[in-house]
């Protein structure tokens, strides 16, 4: 890779040993992927590592070294959600013990480290930093060094920013250097579509199942989706943002999709149209039958398939404001319909701290609280991904959470039925 004199000097240690090691990591990473140069990051970072898991010893050591060297990120950054929220996601004594002494024993230390190197503020823990309420919103064409897969695919696709699927710590290092290697999704060529997805369904598909079908089929490629604008319209409204967030997260976790284009809707597809499709692009047709096949293929990982659900998580990635309102209204209405006052399954709606705060002052929240459902800014995956929680029959409407945990996936209507006391 071609480096500028300043970059070479940093690599040679002229600005200290720590910065030299950070630069070396970025350059080595770029070389592996055939990057030609480093380019400047034009927007604040978002980190994927938000959890103080005791096992991540090299991370905490590296953070200490960075802090001792007086190094900070170029701009304040946001970070993924916390793994614990004892107020809204109650734990028993044993769970508390496992979380605080074993799983997340370094949480406090790590959050202190994040603050010292440039964390934006205490409320910056969410995977949906790109929503206006949170405020880490890139613009079209911005170059990013993010790593959270659901945020990367959203920023690339819905906003038109440019970001590779980086790893944890690489997001940290590039936020310090202020540069990322130029390859892949940063280039015009890398943003062209390898697949045309023809959507031929009778109605708007469930976002999580559609994303899952695409991810499972095309893995790390770029899709150009035709036919979705018929259902979503031609503008990225607040409702459309929520849908695309969920669809993208499923593409990015069932495959490793970092960018999708939607004909007539997403910014680059609107600008360049079908010119974005590579000549040799393959075609995948999605019908109602195909989606049902994908949905039916999800394994049930509970010990007892017939167990009664004990906990329900909705909001992975974190819910947008309209999604939170919609779920609250649906739960309240669903309970009324069945003559119930309380949810039948302990239900947690997860959203960013900013949206939770905004929602907490509303009449709708007051009504939701009476049903027993809670609003939290926890990461459900971090909560469920441990030997105790993974034994619980947990249900979710998130395909990403299903993919990475033993939680059981239900479509939106079905999960609403379950939590409001109906029978499937
Ligand atoms: Fe967000 Fe945690 Fe899901 S980071 S996307 S809530 S796994």
């Amino acid at each position: 890779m071609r480096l500028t004199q300043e970059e070479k000097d940093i690599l040679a240690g002229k600005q200290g040993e720590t910065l030299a090691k950070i630069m070396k990591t970025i350059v080595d990473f770029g070389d592996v992927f055939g990057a030609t140069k480093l380019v400047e990051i034009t927007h604040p970072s978002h980190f994927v590592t938000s959890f103080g898991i005791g096992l991540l010893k090299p991370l905490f050591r590296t953070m200490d070294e960075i802090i001792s060297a007086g190094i900070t990120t170029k701009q304040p950054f946001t970070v993924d959600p916390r793994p614990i929220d004892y107020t809204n996601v109650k734990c028993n004594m044993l769970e508390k013990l496992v979380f605080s002494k074993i799983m997340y024993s370094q949480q406090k230390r790590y959050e202190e480290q994040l603050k010292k190197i440039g964390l934006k503020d205490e409320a910056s823990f969410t995977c949906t930093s790109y929503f206006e309420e949170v405020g880490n919103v890139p613009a079209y064409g911005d170059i990013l060094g993010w790593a959270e897969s659901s945020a990367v695919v959203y920023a690339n696709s819905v906003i038109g920013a440019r970001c590779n699927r980086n790893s944890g710590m690489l997001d940290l290092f590039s936020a310090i250097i202020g540069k990322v290697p130029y390859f892949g999704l940063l280039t015009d060529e890398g943003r062209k579509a390898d697949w045309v997805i023809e959507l031929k369904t009778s109605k708007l598909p469930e976002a999580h199942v559609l994303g899952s079908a695409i991810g499972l089929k095309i893995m790390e490629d770029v899709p150009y989706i035709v036919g979705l604008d018929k259902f979503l319209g031609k503008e990225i409204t607040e409702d459309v943002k929520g849908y695309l967030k969920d669809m993208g997260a499923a593409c990015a976790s069932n495959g490793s999709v970092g960018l999708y284009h939607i004909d007539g809707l997403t910014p680059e597809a609107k600008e360049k149209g079908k010119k974005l499709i590579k000549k040799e692009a393959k075609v995948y047709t999605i019908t109602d039958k195909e989606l049902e096949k994908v949905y039916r293929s999800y394994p049930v990982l509970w010990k007892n398939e017939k167990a009664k659900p004990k906990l329900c998580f909705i909001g992975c990635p974190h819910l947008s404001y309209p999604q939170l309102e919609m779920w609250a209204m649906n739960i309240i209405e669903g309970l009324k319909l069945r003559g119930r006052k309380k949810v039948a399954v302990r239900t947690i709606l997860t959203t960013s701290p900013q949206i939770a705060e905004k929602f907490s002052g509303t009449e709708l929240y007051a009504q939701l609280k009476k049903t027993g459902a809670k609003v939290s800014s926890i990461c459900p995956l971090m909560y469920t991904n441990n030997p105790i929680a993974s034994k619980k029959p947990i249900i979710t409407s998130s395909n990403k959470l299903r993919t990475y945990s033993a939680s059981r996936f239900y479509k939106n209507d079905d999960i609403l039925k379950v939590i409001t006391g109906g029978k499937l």
Side-chain angles (χ1 to χ4, degrees), residues 46 48 50 80-82 126-128 148-151 249 315-318 350 378-382 398 400-401 404:
H46 176 86
V48 69
S50 57
D80 266 0
R82 292 183 168 106
T126 174
C127 44
T128 53
E148 161 55 45
S149 65
S150 63
C316 165
H318 278 174
T350 49
I378 200 174
C379 167
L381 175 60
M382 288 299 122
S398 161
K400 177 168 180 176
L401 184 58
Y404 294 138

XYZ file of all heavy atoms in Angstrom, residues 46 48 50 80-82 126-128 148-151 249 315-318 350 378-382 398 400-401 404, ligand 1:
213
model
N -18.135 4.387 15.509
C -19.047 3.633 16.365
C -18.374 2.294 16.635
O -18.026 1.582 15.688
C -20.407 3.425 15.691
C -21.310 2.583 16.515
N -22.101 3.117 17.506
C -21.492 1.235 16.566
C -22.748 2.131 18.110
N -22.385 0.973 17.575
N -17.944 -1.629 18.145
C -18.772 -2.821 18.346
C -18.569 -3.399 19.756
O -19.459 -4.040 20.298
C -18.461 -3.880 17.249
C -17.072 -4.473 17.417
C -19.493 -4.992 17.227
N -18.695 -3.383 23.409
C -19.283 -2.566 24.475
C -19.300 -3.329 25.787
O -19.801 -2.854 26.779
C -20.726 -2.235 24.094
O -21.432 -3.442 23.872
N -21.724 0.059 20.971
C -22.863 -0.862 21.054
C -23.474 -0.884 22.462
O -22.862 -0.409 23.418
C -22.400 -2.273 20.643
C -22.652 -2.533 19.166
O -23.173 -1.631 18.483
O -22.342 -3.632 18.698
N -24.657 -1.496 22.604
C -25.345 -1.457 23.911
C -24.636 -2.237 25.012
O -23.877 -3.166 24.739
C -26.690 -2.127 23.618
C -26.730 -2.466 22.191
C -25.436 -2.179 21.564
N -24.952 -1.840 26.215
C -24.407 -2.552 27.386
C -25.031 -3.954 27.493
O -26.158 -4.166 27.056
C -24.730 -1.777 28.663
C -24.010 -0.458 28.773
C -24.336 0.201 30.106
N -23.470 1.325 30.381
C -23.839 2.606 30.296
N -25.072 2.918 29.956
N -22.988 3.560 30.570
N -25.632 2.116 22.177
C -26.716 1.562 21.340
C -26.136 1.138 20.001
O -25.137 1.714 19.555
C -27.829 2.593 21.093
O -28.785 2.043 20.171
C -27.321 3.894 20.499
N -26.767 0.149 19.369
C -26.285 -0.243 18.034
C -26.920 0.611 16.947
O -26.541 0.521 15.786
C -26.548 -1.714 17.780
S -28.185 -2.241 18.301
N -27.910 1.456 17.318
C -28.551 2.301 16.306
C -28.118 3.766 16.488
O -28.945 4.663 16.568
C -30.084 2.184 16.377
O -30.476 2.437 17.726
C -30.566 0.814 15.962
N -19.703 -2.619 13.913
C -20.983 -3.289 14.214
C -21.697 -3.610 12.890
O -22.067 -2.699 12.131
C -21.833 -2.382 15.113
C -23.324 -2.685 15.177
C -23.648 -4.123 15.571
O -23.035 -4.626 16.522
O -24.506 -4.736 14.905
N -21.906 -4.893 12.628
C -22.352 -5.298 11.285
C -23.703 -4.693 10.897
O -23.908 -4.302 9.749
C -22.396 -6.817 11.178
O -23.378 -7.346 12.054
N -24.635 -4.593 11.866
C -25.950 -4.054 11.514
C -25.872 -2.552 11.229
O -26.632 -2.025 10.417
C -26.962 -4.327 12.635
O -26.582 -3.657 13.819
N -24.934 -1.877 11.894
C -24.767 -0.435 11.672
C -24.016 -0.182 10.367
O -24.319 0.764 9.637
C -24.028 0.197 12.849
N -29.843 -6.077 9.177
C -29.211 -6.829 10.270
C -29.300 -8.329 10.003
O -28.368 -9.083 10.306
C -29.881 -6.484 11.594
N -36.386 -6.086 19.554
C -35.539 -4.907 19.336
C -34.061 -5.224 19.245
O -33.249 -4.695 19.998
N -33.706 -6.067 18.303
C -32.296 -6.377 18.019
C -32.170 -6.369 16.510
O -32.614 -7.319 15.888
C -31.916 -7.726 18.625
S -30.363 -8.435 17.998
N -31.623 -5.285 15.914
C -31.089 -4.065 16.500
C -32.165 -3.253 17.241
O -33.359 -3.444 17.031
C -30.596 -3.270 15.277
C -30.529 -4.219 14.144
C -31.499 -5.287 14.419
N -31.698 -2.333 18.075
C -32.578 -1.495 18.888
C -33.706 -0.879 18.054
O -33.491 -0.443 16.917
C -31.756 -0.379 19.531
C -31.050 -0.829 20.784
N -30.157 -0.029 21.455
C -31.127 -1.987 21.488
C -29.721 -0.679 22.532
N -30.278 -1.873 22.558
N -36.321 -3.357 23.407
C -35.014 -2.701 23.529
C -34.850 -1.595 22.497
O -35.194 -1.754 21.322
C -33.863 -3.720 23.418
O -34.080 -4.540 22.283
C -33.768 -4.597 24.641
N -30.514 -2.531 26.859
C -29.569 -3.646 26.920
C -29.348 -4.218 25.519
O -30.157 -3.989 24.614
C -30.173 -4.745 27.844
C -29.110 -5.701 28.371
C -31.283 -5.507 27.140
C -29.670 -6.692 29.404
N -28.263 -4.982 25.331
C -28.109 -5.809 24.136
C -28.629 -7.193 24.497
O -28.024 -7.890 25.311
C -26.646 -5.913 23.710
S -26.386 -7.207 22.473
N -29.754 -7.624 23.918
C -30.313 -8.921 24.297
C -29.361 -10.079 24.035
O -29.364 -11.061 24.765
C -31.569 -9.054 23.431
C -31.668 -7.849 22.602
C -30.568 -6.907 22.925
N -28.552 -9.940 23.009
C -27.631 -11.038 22.708
C -26.615 -11.202 23.839
O -26.332 -12.317 24.277
C -26.916 -10.778 21.377
C -25.847 -11.798 21.014
C -26.439 -13.195 20.893
C -25.152 -11.424 19.719
N -26.089 -10.092 24.299
C -25.098 -10.161 25.378
C -25.737 -10.717 26.651
O -25.091 -11.372 27.451
C -24.523 -8.764 25.651
C -23.603 -8.291 24.568
S -22.197 -9.393 24.417
C -22.298 -9.902 22.740
N -36.391 -11.115 16.440
C -35.169 -10.722 15.739
C -34.445 -11.934 15.185
O -34.063 -12.835 15.930
C -34.227 -9.986 16.693
O -32.911 -9.994 16.171
N -31.499 -11.814 13.947
C -30.097 -11.724 14.364
C -29.928 -12.388 15.733
O -29.001 -13.172 15.933
C -29.650 -10.260 14.421
C -28.220 -10.117 14.927
C -27.646 -8.725 14.739
C -26.220 -8.668 15.280
N -25.570 -7.398 15.049
N -30.841 -12.096 16.630
C -30.749 -12.704 17.966
C -30.923 -14.219 17.868
O -30.207 -14.981 18.523
C -31.805 -12.094 18.902
C -31.760 -12.567 20.349
C -30.405 -12.301 20.984
C -32.852 -11.905 21.177
N -27.573 -15.896 16.649
C -26.409 -15.947 17.537
C -26.715 -16.499 18.929
O -25.857 -16.456 19.805
C -25.795 -14.549 17.689
C -25.194 -13.998 16.415
C -25.383 -12.667 16.047
C -24.415 -14.802 15.584
C -24.816 -12.151 14.880
C -23.856 -14.290 14.423
C -24.057 -12.974 14.079
O -23.497 -12.474 12.934
Fe -27.725 -4.539 18.614
Fe -26.991 -6.365 20.335
Fe -28.671 -6.948 18.434
S -25.707 -4.884 19.381
S -28.028 -5.683 16.751
S -29.033 -5.489 20.098
S -26.965 -8.197 19.061
